[in-house]
């Protein structure tokens, strides 16, 4: 009967019943014995599920000239009835000197290569190199932002646990939903995005995340906290979500630390905290004014690692009313669920924050650029 209720919720967009925390098998369980695994090329295959899902490949850019950007492909399936793909780009200008540039375009004639590693559509291609160490990102789907970039991995990729997967469902042998994140935490980027105001050179640092939500997104997560930190020596990533009450408002955290050529540590033993909360009068969400991200793990040779990134978020880069601004397919997935009012808050603190990292008792502090998101979907 639980399975039937869940399927009705999937198709109708209704809230799910209360299953409790036992209906979530968090990737943290895997990470207790296998904190993380380094990614192989085949770990980045598109799943392209034929049931309800949202699958994304997202590239985050921090240009040497101060620009911050994002390029993203979204593959979405609503109850196996309708599949759509979109290509999104966003550019934040340094010091807020110009209005943010946001482009979102529906893709036609989309598909994948035989290995499911590269994505193609009319006017758009996300192409993995033969050696699996880089992606080329090209899009002419929107004249406002013509993309021609190359992202090259500088440290191994990773996923938490053995396969990165958290599973949802009351029967462990037949889960009805899943969540997975795979990371390239430290990359170089070269190339440009051509805007109507001119070319923007994005040479600098990048991060890549392949994510799969094998269920309706608002059924899997009610809130998100995200950190992408890049400094001359270190890269740090953290993705934390809180499930809706259906799954006990459980917290799942995945993240890691990297430097050129190696993963320092990775896994699920991390903590993301929003501090100095202020209520957004538009929607009553608790918008953070400052954050604290803490990583904990072991190096490959057994040395203890801790790291902390904390401070004021400063003036936010943007507040996105998802239902007003994102493509229609997201509205179709979320439906008219009572209490669902998704907003995304985006930040890159100025002055820049410092990462304090300790490896086997030796501490280093280094300033870098943080891009952070706070996402609220439902209570």
């Amino acid at each position: 009967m639980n399975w039937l209720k869940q399927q009705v919720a999937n198709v109708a967009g209704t809230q799910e019943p209360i299953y409790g925390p036992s209906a979530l098998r968090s990737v943290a369980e895997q990470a207790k014995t296998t904190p993380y695994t380094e990614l192989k090329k085949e770990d980045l295959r598109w799943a392209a599920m034929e049931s309800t899902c949202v699958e994304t490949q997202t590239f985050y850019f921090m240009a040497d000239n101060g620009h911050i950007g994002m390029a993203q492909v979204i593959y979405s399936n609503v109850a196996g009835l309708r599949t759509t793909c979109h290509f999104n780009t966003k550019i934040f200008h340094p010091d807020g000197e110009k209005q943010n540039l946001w482009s979102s375009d529906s893709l036609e004639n989309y598909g994948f290569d035989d290995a499911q590693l590269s994505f193609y559509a009319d006017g758009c291609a996300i192409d993995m190199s033969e050696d699996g160490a880089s992606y080329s990102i090209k899009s002419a789907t929107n004249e406002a932002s013509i993309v021609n970039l190359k992202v090259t991995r500088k440290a191994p990729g990773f996923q938490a646990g053995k396969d990165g997967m958290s599973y949802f469902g009351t029967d462990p042998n037949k889960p009805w939903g899943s969540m997975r994140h795979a990371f390239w935490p430290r990359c170089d980027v070269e190339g440009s995005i051509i805007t109507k105001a001119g070319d923007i050179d994005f040479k600098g640092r990048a991060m890549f995340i392949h994510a799969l939500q094998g269920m309706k997104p608002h059924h899997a997560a009610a809130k998100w906290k995200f950190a992408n930190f890049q400094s001359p020596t270190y890269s740090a990533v953290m993705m934390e979500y809180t499930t809706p009450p259906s799954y006990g408002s459980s917290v799942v955290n995945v993240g890691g630390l990297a430097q050129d050529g190696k993963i320092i540590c990775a896994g699920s033993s991390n903590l993301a905290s929003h501090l100095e909360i202020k209520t957004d009068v538009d929607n009553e969400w608790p918008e953070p004014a400052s954050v604290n991200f803490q990583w904990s793990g072991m190096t490959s040779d057994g040395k203890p690692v801790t790291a902390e990134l904390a401070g004021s978020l400063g003036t936010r880069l943007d507040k996105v009313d998802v239902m007003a601004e994102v493509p229609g397919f997201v509205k179709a997935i979320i439906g008219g669920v009572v209490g669902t009012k998704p907003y995304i808050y985006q930040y890159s603190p100025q002055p820049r924050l410092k990462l304090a990292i300790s490896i086997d008792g030796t501490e280093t502090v280094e300033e870098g650029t943080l891009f952070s998101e706070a996402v609220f979907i439902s209570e």
Side-chain angles (χ1 to χ4, degrees):
M1 185 57 72
N2 279 332
W3 179 87
L4 178 60
K5 291 177 182 176
Q6 201 278 335
Q7 294 306 306
V8 170
N10 255 351
V11 176
T14 56
Q15 288 179 312
E16 291 190 283
I18 301 298
Y19 307 117
S22 62
L24 170 68
R25 282 190 294 141
S26 169
V27 70
E29 292 301 311
Q30 299 181 34
K32 288 178 180 177
T33 54
T34 305
Y36 72 95
T37 50
E38 291 191 6
L39 297 178
K40 303 182 181 69
K41 184 177 176 181
E42 54 267 26
D43 292 322
L44 294 171
R45 287 188 174 121
W46 284 86
M49 294 172 60
E50 296 182 2
S51 55
T52 297
C53 71
V54 175
E55 187 170 11
T56 59
Q57 286 194 340
T58 309
F59 301 85
Y60 298 92
F61 315 115
M62 294 178 178
D64 293 340
N65 59 25
H67 285 86
I68 293 175
M70 178 199 79
Q72 178 185 62
V73 169
I74 303 180
Y75 173 100
S76 160
N77 186 317
V78 181
L81 303 175
R82 180 168 178 255
T83 301
T84 57
C85 294
H86 280 73
F87 184 77
N88 302 326
T89 58
K90 192 163 190 176
I91 297 172
F92 302 99
H93 298 277
D95 304 318
E97 61 190 37
K98 297 178 185 175
Q99 188 172 356
N100 302 330
L101 177 63
W102 163 251
S103 302
S104 180
D105 297 279
S106 179
L107 299 175
E108 303 297 331
N109 299 314
Y110 56 83
F112 308 91
D113 66 346
D114 290 342
Q116 296 283 109
L117 292 168
S118 297
F119 174 92
Y120 304 102
D122 290 349
C124 180
I126 311 295
D127 200 359
M128 179 187 272
S129 62
E130 186 65 33
D131 63 1
S134 67
Y135 281 96
S136 66
I137 308 152
K138 297 184 179 182
S139 174
T141 58
N142 194 310
E143 292 182 356
S145 53
I146 298 173
V147 180
N148 186 6
L149 296 166
K150 181 181 180 182
V151 169
T152 302
R153 179 169 48 81
K154 303 304 289 183
F158 75 90
Q159 58 193 358
K162 296 177 181 178
D163 62 7
M165 282 284 196
S166 292
Y167 293 99
F168 296 75
T170 51
D171 182 348
N173 297 314
K174 295 180 180 179
W176 56 54
S178 62
M179 179 86 79
R180 175 179 182 261
H181 292 88
F183 303 91
W184 282 5
R186 189 169 178 85
C187 306
D188 285 343
V189 58
E190 56 185 323
S192 66
I193 298 178
I194 302 173
T195 72
K196 291 184 177 179
D199 292 16
I200 299 177
D201 182 3
F202 267 97
K203 176 178 171 53
R205 191 67 72 188
M207 177 180 288
F208 165 62
I209 302 176
H210 188 137
L212 173 65
Q213 299 181 61
M215 59 198 299
K216 288 199 170 191
H218 63 290
H219 286 174
K223 301 174 181 66
W224 292 87
K225 298 168 185 171
F226 172 60
N228 166 15
F229 176 85
Q230 304 289 335
S231 73
T233 309
Y234 302 107
S235 296
V237 61
M238 191 182 299
M239 186 79 77
E240 180 180 291
Y241 64 91
T242 303
T243 71
S246 305
Y247 301 97
S249 299
S250 302
V251 175
V252 180
N253 185 305
V254 292
L257 304 164
Q259 58 189 119
D260 284 350
K262 69 177 181 179
I263 300 294
I264 300 171
C265 73
S268 290
S269 301
N270 314 301
L271 180 65
S273 302
H274 285 169
L275 308 173
E276 295 183 61
I277 301 301
K278 54 187 178 182
T279 302
D280 186 335
V281 296
D282 293 338
N283 51 41
E284 298 185 340
W285 285 129
E287 182 186 359
S290 63
V291 289
N292 183 293
F293 296 100
Q294 297 178 37
W295 290 262
S296 177
M298 304 284 282
T299 64
S300 58
D301 56 354
K303 296 175 182 176
V305 179
T306 59
E308 183 176 31
L309 180 66
S312 171
L313 289 169
T315 304
R316 70 174 177 239
L317 296 174
D318 202 2
K319 179 176 79 172
V320 181
D321 178 350
V322 174
M323 296 303 279
E325 297 189 31
V326 302
F329 76 90
V330 172
K331 297 172 192 174
I333 288 181
I334 293 177
V337 180
V338 176
T340 301
K341 46 180 181 178
Y343 278 79
I344 303 171
Y345 298 83
Q346 297 172 314
Y347 311 88
S348 186
Q350 296 291 340
R352 300 195 304 167
L353 301 186
K354 295 178 180 180
L355 178 75
I357 181 169
S358 173
I359 303 175
D360 200 24
T362 300
E363 183 167 310
T364 305
V365 178
E366 190 164 281
E367 184 180 87
T369 300
L370 170 67
F371 177 75
S372 184
E373 291 184 329
V375 182
F376 301 97
I377 300 171
S378 62
E379 295 291 353

